[in-house]
Structures are given as structure tokens and as C-alpha cells.
Amino acid sequence: MEQKPRIAILPSPGMGHLVPFIEFAKLLVLHHNFHITCIIPVFGSPSKAMKEVLEALPTSIDNVFLPPVNSEGLESLPLGVQIAVTMTRSLPS
């Protein structure tokens, strides 16, 4: 049996970024028969809403949460900077 092509997607932290990426992933699965892994960075623990969205995904879309990062000292920074720092801290060096 031929394996499906696999791709990984990495949205920025937050539901506002996750939902459009998930919708895009669904289209790739439907129209191009991809298998997708969604790599998700989070501020602290994943929210209940985020877990519910991910649990409802088709089996061709997997998800992996990156370890939560220490957000100490980020609160005073602009949101865009918080996201960039979180992404950087989430990924291996």
C-alpha cells in the first residue's frame, strides 16, 4: 500500500492561529490525501477549547504539543514579541 505524503505544520501559539491552520490541514487531507502532524506551541497548558478542537480532527491529522515554555518576564512585552519568544523557546536549540 502506498504511503500518504506527510507534512508538518507549526502555527503560532493561540487559538486564533491554530484554527486557520487546522482548516488548511483539513483541505490538504481532503484534496491531496496528505497525512498531517500539527506541532503546537502553547503558553502554559493547552486550553479546554484547544483540546476539543484537536480531539474532533480526522485520523489523518495528528497533533503534538511542544513542552510549555517558561513565560516569566514575557508579560510586559507586546503580544507579537511574546509569541516570537515562545516559538523560539519551544523549539530545540
Coordinates of all heavy atoms in Angstrom, one line a residue:
M1 N 0.8 -1.2 0.0 CA 0.0 0.0 0.0 C 0.9 1.2 0.0 O 1.8 1.4 0.8 CB -0.9 0.0 1.2 CG -1.8 1.1 1.3 SD -3.0 0.9 2.7 CE -4.1 2.2 2.4
E2 N 0.5 2.2 -0.8 CA 1.3 3.4 -0.9 C 1.1 4.3 0.3 O 0.0 4.5 0.8 CB 0.9 4.2 -2.2 CG 1.7 5.4 -2.5 CD 1.3 6.1 -3.8 OE1 0.8 5.4 -4.7 OE2 1.4 7.3 -3.8
Q3 N 2.2 4.8 0.8 CA 2.1 5.7 2.0 C 1.6 7.1 1.5 O 2.0 7.6 0.5 CB 3.4 5.8 2.7 CG 3.7 4.7 3.6 CD 4.9 5.0 4.4 OE1 5.8 5.7 4.0 NE2 5.0 4.4 5.6
K4 N 0.8 7.8 2.4 CA 0.4 9.1 2.1 C 1.6 10.0 2.4 O 2.4 9.8 3.2 CB -0.7 9.5 3.1 CG -2.0 8.8 2.9 CD -3.0 9.4 4.0 CE -4.3 8.7 3.8 NZ -5.3 9.3 4.8
P5 N 1.7 11.1 1.6 CA 2.7 12.1 1.9 C 2.5 12.7 3.2 O 1.3 13.0 3.6 CB 2.6 13.1 0.8 CG 1.7 12.5 -0.3 CD 0.9 11.4 0.4
R6 N 3.5 13.0 4.0 CA 3.4 13.6 5.3 C 3.9 15.0 5.3 O 5.0 15.2 4.7 CB 4.2 12.8 6.3 CG 3.6 11.4 6.6 CD 4.5 10.7 7.7 NE 3.8 9.9 8.6 CZ 3.0 10.2 9.6 NH1 2.6 11.5 9.7 NH2 2.4 9.3 10.4
I7 N 3.2 15.9 6.0 CA 3.7 17.2 6.2 C 3.5 17.6 7.7 O 2.6 17.0 8.3 CB 3.1 18.3 5.3 CG1 1.6 18.4 5.5 CG2 3.4 18.0 3.8 CD1 1.0 19.6 4.7
A8 N 4.3 18.5 8.1 CA 4.1 19.1 9.5 C 3.7 20.6 9.4 O 4.3 21.3 8.5 CB 5.3 18.9 10.3
I9 N 2.8 21.0 10.2 CA 2.5 22.5 10.3 C 2.8 22.9 11.7 O 2.7 22.2 12.6 CB 1.1 22.8 9.8 CG1 0.1 22.0 10.7 CG2 0.9 22.4 8.4 CD1 -1.4 22.4 10.4
L10 N 3.2 24.2 11.8 CA 3.6 24.8 13.1 C 2.9 26.2 13.2 O 3.5 27.2 12.8 CB 5.1 24.9 13.2 CG 5.7 25.5 14.4 CD1 5.4 24.7 15.6 CD2 7.2 25.7 14.2
P11 N 1.7 26.2 13.8 CA 1.1 27.5 14.0 C 1.7 28.2 15.1 O 2.3 27.6 16.0 CB -0.4 27.1 14.3 CG -0.3 25.8 14.9 CD 0.9 25.1 14.2
S12 N 1.6 29.5 15.2 CA 2.0 30.3 16.3 C 1.0 30.0 17.5 O -0.1 29.5 17.3 CB 1.8 31.8 16.0 OG 2.7 32.2 15.0
P13 N 1.5 30.2 18.7 CA 0.6 29.9 19.9 C -0.7 30.7 19.8 O -0.8 31.8 19.3 CB 1.4 30.4 21.1 CG 2.8 30.5 20.6 CD 2.7 30.8 19.1
G14 N -1.8 30.0 20.3 CA -3.1 30.7 20.4 C -4.1 30.1 19.4 O -3.8 29.6 18.3
M15 N -5.4 30.1 19.9 CA -6.5 29.6 19.1 C -6.6 30.3 17.7 O -7.0 29.8 16.7 CB -7.8 29.6 19.8 CG -7.9 28.6 20.9 SD -7.9 26.9 20.3 CE -9.6 26.8 19.7
G16 N -6.4 31.6 17.8 CA -6.5 32.4 16.6 C -5.6 32.0 15.4 O -5.9 32.3 14.3
H17 N -4.5 31.4 15.7 CA -3.6 30.8 14.7 C -3.9 29.4 14.5 O -3.7 28.9 13.3 CB -2.1 31.0 15.2 CG -1.7 32.4 15.4 ND1 -1.1 33.1 14.4 CD2 -1.9 33.3 16.4 CE1 -0.9 34.4 14.8 NE2 -1.4 34.5 16.0
L18 N -4.3 28.6 15.5 CA -4.5 27.2 15.4 C -5.7 26.9 14.4 O -5.5 26.0 13.5 CB -4.7 26.6 16.7 CG -5.0 25.1 16.7 CD1 -3.8 24.3 16.2 CD2 -5.3 24.6 18.1
V19 N -6.8 27.5 14.6 CA -8.0 27.2 13.9 C -7.8 27.3 12.3 O -8.1 26.4 11.6 CB -9.2 28.0 14.4 CG1 -10.4 27.8 13.4 CG2 -9.5 27.6 15.8
P20 N -7.2 28.4 11.8 CA -7.0 28.5 10.4 C -6.0 27.4 9.9 O -6.2 26.9 8.8 CB -6.4 29.9 10.2 CG -6.8 30.7 11.4 CD -6.9 29.7 12.5
F21 N -5.0 27.1 10.7 CA -4.1 26.1 10.3 C -4.8 24.7 10.2 O -4.5 23.9 9.3 CB -2.9 26.0 11.3 CG -1.7 26.8 10.9 CD1 -1.8 28.2 11.1 CD2 -0.6 26.3 10.4 CE1 -0.7 29.0 10.8 CE2 0.5 27.1 10.0 CZ 0.4 28.5 10.2
I22 N -5.7 24.5 11.2 CA -6.4 23.2 11.2 C -7.3 23.1 9.9 O -7.4 22.1 9.3 CB -7.3 23.1 12.5 CG1 -6.3 22.9 13.7 CG2 -8.3 21.9 12.4 CD1 -5.5 21.7 13.7
E23 N -8.0 24.2 9.6 CA -8.9 24.3 8.4 C -8.0 24.0 7.2 O -8.5 23.3 6.3 CB -9.6 25.6 8.3 CG -10.7 25.8 9.4 CD -11.7 24.6 9.5 OE1 -12.2 24.2 8.5 OE2 -11.9 24.2 10.7
F24 N -6.9 24.6 7.1 CA -5.9 24.4 6.0 C -5.5 22.9 5.9 O -5.5 22.3 4.8 CB -4.7 25.3 6.1 CG -3.7 25.1 5.0 CD1 -4.0 25.3 3.7 CD2 -2.4 24.7 5.3 CE1 -3.1 25.1 2.7 CE2 -1.4 24.6 4.3 CZ -1.8 24.8 3.0
A25 N -5.2 22.3 7.1 CA -4.8 20.9 7.1 C -6.0 20.0 6.6 O -5.7 19.0 5.9 CB -4.5 20.5 8.6
K26 N -7.2 20.3 7.0 CA -8.3 19.5 6.6 C -8.5 19.6 5.0 O -8.8 18.5 4.4 CB -9.6 20.1 7.2 CG -9.8 19.7 8.7 CD -11.1 20.3 9.2 CE -11.3 20.2 10.6 NZ -12.5 20.8 11.1
L27 N -8.2 20.7 4.4 CA -8.3 20.8 3.0 C -7.2 20.0 2.3 O -7.4 19.4 1.3 CB -8.2 22.3 2.6 CG -9.4 23.2 2.9 CD1 -9.1 24.7 2.6 CD2 -10.6 22.7 2.1
L28 N -6.0 20.0 2.9 CA -4.9 19.2 2.4 C -5.2 17.7 2.4 O -4.9 17.0 1.5 CB -3.6 19.5 3.1 CG -3.0 20.9 2.8 CD1 -1.8 21.1 3.8 CD2 -2.6 21.1 1.4
V29 N -5.8 17.3 3.5 CA -6.2 15.9 3.7 C -7.3 15.6 2.6 O -7.2 14.6 1.9 CB -6.7 15.6 5.1 CG1 -7.4 14.3 5.2 CG2 -5.6 15.7 6.1
L30 N -8.3 16.4 2.5 CA -9.4 16.1 1.6 C -9.0 16.2 0.2 O -9.4 15.2 -0.6 CB -10.5 17.2 1.9 CG -11.8 17.1 1.0 CD1 -12.5 15.8 1.3 CD2 -12.7 18.3 1.2
H31 N -8.3 17.2 -0.3 CA -8.0 17.3 -1.7 C -6.7 16.7 -2.2 O -6.5 16.5 -3.4 CB -8.0 18.8 -2.0 CG -9.3 19.5 -1.8 ND1 -10.4 19.2 -2.6 CD2 -9.8 20.4 -0.9 CE1 -11.5 19.9 -2.2 NE2 -11.1 20.6 -1.2
H32 N -5.8 16.4 -1.2 CA -4.5 15.9 -1.7 C -4.0 14.7 -0.9 O -2.9 14.2 -1.2 CB -3.4 17.0 -1.5 CG -3.7 18.3 -2.3 ND1 -3.6 18.3 -3.7 CD2 -4.2 19.5 -1.9 CE1 -4.0 19.5 -4.1 NE2 -4.3 20.2 -3.1
N33 N -4.9 14.2 -0.1 CA -4.6 12.9 0.6 C -3.3 12.9 1.4 O -2.6 11.9 1.5 CB -4.6 11.7 -0.4 CG -4.9 10.4 0.3 OD1 -5.6 10.4 1.3 ND2 -4.4 9.4 -0.2
F34 N -3.0 14.0 2.1 CA -1.8 14.1 3.0 C -2.1 13.6 4.3 O -3.3 13.5 4.7 CB -1.4 15.6 3.2 CG -0.7 16.2 2.0 CD1 -1.2 17.2 1.3 CD2 0.6 15.8 1.7 CE1 -0.5 17.8 0.3 CE2 1.3 16.4 0.7 CZ 0.7 17.4 0.0
H35 N -1.1 13.2 5.0 CA -1.2 12.9 6.5 C -0.4 14.1 7.1 O 0.7 14.4 6.7 CB -0.5 11.6 6.8 CG -0.7 11.2 8.3 ND1 -1.7 10.3 8.7 CD2 -0.1 11.7 9.4 CE1 -1.7 10.2 10.0 NE2 -0.7 11.1 10.4
I36 N -1.1 14.7 8.1 CA -0.5 16.0 8.7 C -0.3 15.8 10.1 O -1.1 15.3 10.9 CB -1.5 17.1 8.4 CG1 -1.6 17.3 6.9 CG2 -1.0 18.4 9.0 CD1 -2.6 18.3 6.4
T37 N 0.8 16.4 10.6 CA 1.1 16.5 12.0 C 1.2 18.0 12.3 O 1.9 18.7 11.7 CB 2.5 15.8 12.4 OG1 2.4 14.5 12.0 CG2 2.7 16.0 13.9
C38 N 0.3 18.4 13.3 CA 0.3 19.7 13.7 C 1.1 19.8 15.0 O 0.8 19.2 16.0 CB -1.2 20.1 14.0 SG -1.4 21.9 14.3
I39 N 2.2 20.6 15.0 CA 3.1 20.8 16.1 C 2.7 22.1 16.8 O 2.7 23.2 16.2 CB 4.6 20.8 15.6 CG1 4.9 19.6 14.9 CG2 5.5 21.1 16.8 CD1 6.2 19.6 14.1
I40 N 2.2 22.0 18.0 CA 1.6 23.1 18.7 C 2.4 23.6 19.9 O 2.5 23.0 20.9 CB 0.2 22.7 19.1 CG1 -0.6 22.1 18.0 CG2 -0.6 23.9 19.8 CD1 -1.9 21.3 18.4
P41 N 2.9 24.9 19.8 CA 3.4 25.5 20.9 C 2.3 26.2 21.8 O 1.3 26.6 21.2 CB 4.3 26.6 20.3 CG 3.7 26.9 19.0 CD 3.0 25.7 18.6
V42 N 2.5 26.2 23.1 CA 1.5 26.7 24.0 C 2.1 27.6 25.0 O 3.2 27.4 25.4 CB 0.6 25.6 24.6 CG1 -0.2 24.9 23.6 CG2 1.5 24.6 25.4
F43 N 1.3 28.6 25.5 CA 1.6 29.3 26.7 C 1.0 28.5 27.9 O -0.2 28.5 28.0 CB 0.9 30.7 26.7 CG 1.4 31.6 25.6 CD1 0.5 32.1 24.7 CD2 2.7 32.1 25.6 CE1 0.9 33.0 23.7 CE2 3.1 33.0 24.6 CZ 2.2 33.4 23.6
G44 N 1.8 27.8 28.6 CA 1.2 27.0 29.7 C 0.6 25.8 29.2 O 0.9 25.3 28.1
S45 N -0.5 25.3 29.9 CA -1.2 24.1 29.4 C -2.2 24.5 28.3 O -2.7 25.6 28.3 CB -2.0 23.5 30.6 OG -1.1 23.2 31.6
P46 N -2.5 23.5 27.4 CA -3.5 23.7 26.4 C -4.9 24.0 27.0 O -5.2 23.4 28.0 CB -3.5 22.4 25.6 CG -2.3 21.7 26.0 CD -1.9 22.2 27.4
S47 N -5.6 24.9 26.4 CA -6.9 25.2 26.9 C -7.9 24.1 26.6 O -7.7 23.2 25.7 CB -7.4 26.5 26.3 OG -7.7 26.3 24.9
K48 N -9.0 24.1 27.3 CA -10.1 23.1 27.0 C -10.6 23.2 25.6 O -10.8 22.2 24.9 CB -11.2 23.3 28.0 CG -12.4 22.3 27.9 CD -13.5 22.6 28.8 CE -14.6 21.6 28.6 NZ -15.8 21.9 29.4
A49 N -10.8 24.5 25.1 CA -11.3 24.7 23.8 C -10.3 24.1 22.7 O -10.7 23.5 21.8 CB -11.5 26.2 23.5
M50 N -9.0 24.3 23.0 CA -8.0 23.8 22.1 C -8.0 22.3 22.0 O -8.0 21.7 21.0 CB -6.6 24.3 22.5 CG -5.5 23.9 21.6 SD -3.9 24.5 22.1 CE -4.1 26.3 21.9
K51 N -8.1 21.7 23.2 CA -8.2 20.2 23.2 C -9.4 19.7 22.5 O -9.4 18.7 21.8 CB -8.2 19.7 24.7 CG -6.9 19.9 25.4 CD -7.0 19.4 26.9 CE -5.7 19.7 27.6 NZ -5.9 19.4 29.0
E52 N -10.6 20.4 22.7 CA -11.8 19.9 22.0 C -11.7 20.0 20.5 O -12.1 19.1 19.8 CB -13.0 20.8 22.5 CG -13.4 20.4 23.9 CD -14.5 21.4 24.4 OE1 -14.9 22.3 23.7 OE2 -14.9 21.1 25.6
V53 N -11.1 21.1 20.0 CA -10.9 21.2 18.5 C -10.0 20.1 18.0 O -10.3 19.5 17.0 CB -10.2 22.6 18.2 CG1 -9.7 22.6 16.8 CG2 -11.2 23.7 18.4
L54 N -8.9 19.8 18.7 CA -8.0 18.8 18.3 C -8.5 17.4 18.4 O -8.2 16.5 17.5 CB -6.7 18.9 19.1 CG -5.9 20.2 18.9 CD1 -4.8 20.3 19.9 CD2 -5.4 20.3 17.4
E55 N -9.4 17.1 19.4 CA -10.0 15.8 19.5 C -11.0 15.5 18.4 O -11.2 14.3 18.1 CB -10.7 15.7 20.9 CG -9.7 15.6 22.0 CD -10.4 15.7 23.4 OE1 -11.6 15.9 23.5 OE2 -9.6 15.6 24.4
A56 N -11.5 16.5 17.8 CA -12.5 16.3 16.7 C -11.9 16.2 15.3 O -12.6 16.0 14.3 CB -13.5 17.5 16.7
L57 N -10.6 16.2 15.2 CA -9.9 16.1 13.9 C -10.0 14.7 13.3 O -10.0 13.7 14.1 CB -8.4 16.5 14.1 CG -8.2 17.9 14.4 CD1 -6.7 18.2 14.6 CD2 -8.7 18.8 13.3
P58 N -9.9 14.6 12.0 CA -9.9 13.3 11.4 C -8.6 12.6 11.7 O -7.6 13.2 12.1 CB -9.9 13.6 9.9 CG -9.7 15.1 9.7 CD -9.9 15.7 11.1
T59 N -8.6 11.3 11.5 CA -7.4 10.5 11.9 C -6.2 10.8 11.1 O -5.0 10.5 11.5 CB -7.7 9.0 11.8 OG1 -8.1 8.7 10.5 CG2 -8.8 8.6 12.8
S60 N -6.3 11.5 9.9 CA -5.2 11.8 9.1 C -4.5 13.1 9.6 O -3.5 13.5 9.0 CB -5.6 12.1 7.7 OG -6.1 10.9 7.1
I61 N -5.0 13.7 10.7 CA -4.3 14.9 11.3 C -3.9 14.5 12.7 O -4.8 14.3 13.6 CB -5.2 16.1 11.2 CG1 -5.6 16.4 9.8 CG2 -4.5 17.3 11.8 CD1 -6.6 17.5 9.6
D62 N -2.6 14.4 13.0 CA -2.1 14.2 14.3 C -1.8 15.5 14.9 O -1.6 16.5 14.2 CB -0.9 13.3 14.3 CG -1.1 11.9 13.7 OD1 -2.2 11.4 14.0 OD2 -0.2 11.4 13.1
N63 N -1.6 15.5 16.3 CA -1.1 16.7 16.9 C -0.1 16.4 18.0 O -0.2 15.3 18.6 CB -2.2 17.6 17.5 CG -3.0 16.9 18.5 OD1 -2.6 16.8 19.7 ND2 -4.2 16.3 18.2
V64 N 0.8 17.3 18.1 CA 1.9 17.1 19.2 C 2.1 18.5 19.8 O 2.2 19.5 19.2 CB 3.2 16.7 18.5 CG1 4.3 16.6 19.5 CG2 3.1 15.4 17.8
F65 N 2.0 18.5 21.2 CA 2.2 19.7 21.9 C 3.7 19.8 22.2 O 4.3 18.9 22.7 CB 1.4 19.8 23.2 CG -0.1 20.0 23.0 CD1 -1.0 19.0 23.0 CD2 -0.5 21.3 22.7 CE1 -2.3 19.2 22.8 CE2 -1.9 21.5 22.5 CZ -2.8 20.5 22.6
L66 N 4.3 21.0 21.9 CA 5.6 21.2 22.4 C 5.6 21.5 23.9 O 4.5 21.9 24.4 CB 6.2 22.5 21.7 CG 6.5 22.3 20.2 CD1 6.9 23.6 19.6 CD2 7.5 21.2 19.9
P67 N 6.6 21.2 24.6 CA 6.6 21.5 26.0 C 6.3 23.0 26.3 O 6.8 23.8 25.6 CB 8.0 21.1 26.5 CG 8.6 20.3 25.4 CD 7.9 20.7 24.2
P68 N 5.5 23.2 27.3 CA 5.2 24.6 27.6 C 6.5 25.3 28.0 O 7.4 24.8 28.6 CB 4.3 24.6 28.8 CG 3.8 23.2 28.9 CD 4.8 22.3 28.2
V69 N 6.6 26.6 27.7 CA 7.8 27.4 28.0 C 7.6 28.2 29.2 O 6.5 28.5 29.6 CB 8.3 28.3 26.8 CG1 8.6 27.5 25.6 CG2 7.2 29.3 26.5
N70 N 8.7 28.6 29.8 CA 8.6 29.5 31.0 C 8.3 30.9 30.4 O 9.1 31.5 29.7 CB 10.0 29.5 31.7 CG 10.0 30.4 32.9 OD1 9.0 31.1 33.2 ND2 11.1 30.4 33.6
S71 N 7.1 31.4 30.8 CA 6.7 32.7 30.3 C 7.1 33.8 31.2 O 6.7 35.0 31.0 CB 5.2 32.7 30.0 OG 4.5 32.4 31.2
E72 N 7.9 33.5 32.3 CA 8.3 34.6 33.2 C 9.0 35.7 32.5 O 9.9 35.5 31.7 CB 9.2 33.9 34.3 CG 9.5 34.8 35.4 CD 10.3 34.1 36.5 OE1 10.0 32.9 36.8 OE2 11.2 34.7 37.0
G73 N 8.6 36.9 32.8 CA 9.2 38.1 32.2 C 8.6 38.5 30.8 O 9.0 39.5 30.3
L74 N 7.7 37.6 30.3 CA 7.1 38.0 29.0 C 5.9 38.9 29.1 O 5.5 39.5 28.1 CB 6.8 36.7 28.2 CG 7.9 35.7 27.8 CD1 7.3 34.5 27.1 CD2 8.9 36.4 27.0
E75 N 5.3 38.9 30.2 CA 4.0 39.6 30.4 C 4.1 41.0 30.0 O 3.1 41.6 29.4 CB 3.5 39.5 31.8 CG 3.4 38.1 32.3 CD 4.7 37.5 32.9 OE1 5.6 38.2 33.1 OE2 4.7 36.3 33.0
S76 N 5.2 41.7 30.2 CA 5.3 43.1 29.9 C 5.6 43.4 28.4 O 5.6 44.6 28.0 CB 6.4 43.8 30.8 OG 7.6 43.2 30.5
L77 N 5.9 42.4 27.7 CA 6.3 42.6 26.3 C 5.1 42.6 25.4 O 4.0 42.0 25.7 CB 7.2 41.4 25.8 CG 8.5 41.3 26.5 CD1 9.2 40.0 26.1 CD2 9.4 42.5 26.3
P78 N 5.1 43.2 24.2 CA 4.0 43.2 23.3 C 3.7 41.8 22.9 O 4.6 40.9 22.8 CB 4.5 44.0 22.1 CG 5.6 44.8 22.6 CD 6.2 44.0 23.7
L79 N 2.4 41.5 22.6 CA 2.0 40.1 22.2 C 2.8 39.5 21.1 O 3.2 38.3 21.2 CB 0.5 40.1 21.9 CG -0.1 38.7 21.6 CD1 0.1 37.8 22.8 CD2 -1.6 38.9 21.2
G80 N 3.1 40.2 20.1 CA 3.9 39.7 19.0 C 5.3 39.2 19.4 O 5.7 38.2 19.0
V81 N 5.9 40.0 20.3 CA 7.2 39.6 20.9 C 7.0 38.4 21.7 O 7.8 37.4 21.7 CB 7.8 40.8 21.6 CG1 9.1 40.3 22.3 CG2 8.0 41.9 20.7
Q82 N 5.9 38.3 22.5 CA 5.7 37.1 23.4 C 5.6 35.9 22.5 O 6.2 34.8 22.9 CB 4.4 37.3 24.2 CG 4.4 38.3 25.3 CD 3.1 38.4 26.0 OE1 2.4 37.4 26.1 NE2 2.8 39.6 26.5
I83 N 4.9 36.0 21.4 CA 4.7 34.8 20.5 C 6.0 34.4 19.9 O 6.4 33.2 19.9 CB 3.7 35.1 19.4 CG1 2.3 35.2 20.0 CG2 3.7 34.1 18.3 CD1 1.2 35.8 19.1
A84 N 6.8 35.4 19.4 CA 8.1 35.1 18.8 C 9.0 34.4 19.9 O 9.7 33.4 19.5 CB 8.7 36.3 18.3
V85 N 9.1 34.9 21.1 CA 9.9 34.3 22.1 C 9.5 32.9 22.5 O 10.3 32.0 22.6 CB 10.0 35.3 23.3 CG1 10.7 34.6 24.5 CG2 10.7 36.6 23.0
T86 N 8.2 32.8 22.6 CA 7.6 31.4 22.9 C 8.0 30.4 21.8 O 8.4 29.3 22.1 CB 6.1 31.5 23.1 OG1 5.8 32.4 24.1 CG2 5.5 30.1 23.4
M87 N 7.8 30.8 20.6 CA 8.2 29.9 19.5 C 9.7 29.5 19.5 O 10.0 28.4 19.4 CB 7.9 30.6 18.1 CG 6.4 30.8 17.8 SD 5.5 29.3 17.6 CE 6.0 28.9 16.0
T88 N 10.5 30.5 19.8 CA 11.9 30.3 19.8 C 12.3 29.4 21.0 O 13.1 28.4 20.8 CB 12.7 31.6 20.0 OG1 12.4 32.4 18.9 CG2 14.2 31.4 20.0
R89 N 11.7 29.6 22.1 CA 11.9 28.8 23.3 C 11.4 27.4 23.2 O 11.9 26.4 23.8 CB 11.4 29.4 24.6 CG 12.1 30.7 25.0 CD 11.5 31.3 26.3 NE 12.2 32.5 26.7 CZ 11.8 33.2 27.7 NH1 10.7 32.9 28.4 NH2 12.5 34.3 28.0
S90 N 10.3 27.2 22.4 CA 9.7 25.9 22.3 C 10.5 24.9 21.4 O 10.4 23.7 21.6 CB 8.3 26.0 21.6 OG 7.4 26.7 22.4
L91 N 11.2 25.5 20.5 CA 11.9 24.6 19.5 C 13.3 24.2 20.1 O 13.9 25.0 20.8 CB 12.1 25.3 18.2 CG 10.8 25.7 17.5 CD1 11.0 26.6 16.3 CD2 10.0 24.5 17.2
P92 N 13.8 23.0 19.7 CA 15.1 22.7 20.2 C 16.2 23.6 19.7 O 16.1 24.1 18.6 CB 15.3 21.2 19.6 CG 14.1 20.9 18.9 CD 13.2 22.1 18.9
S93 N 17.2 23.8 20.5 CA 18.3 24.7 20.1 C 19.2 24.1 19.0 O 19.2 23.0 18.7 CB 19.1 25.2 21.2 OG 19.2 24.3 22.2

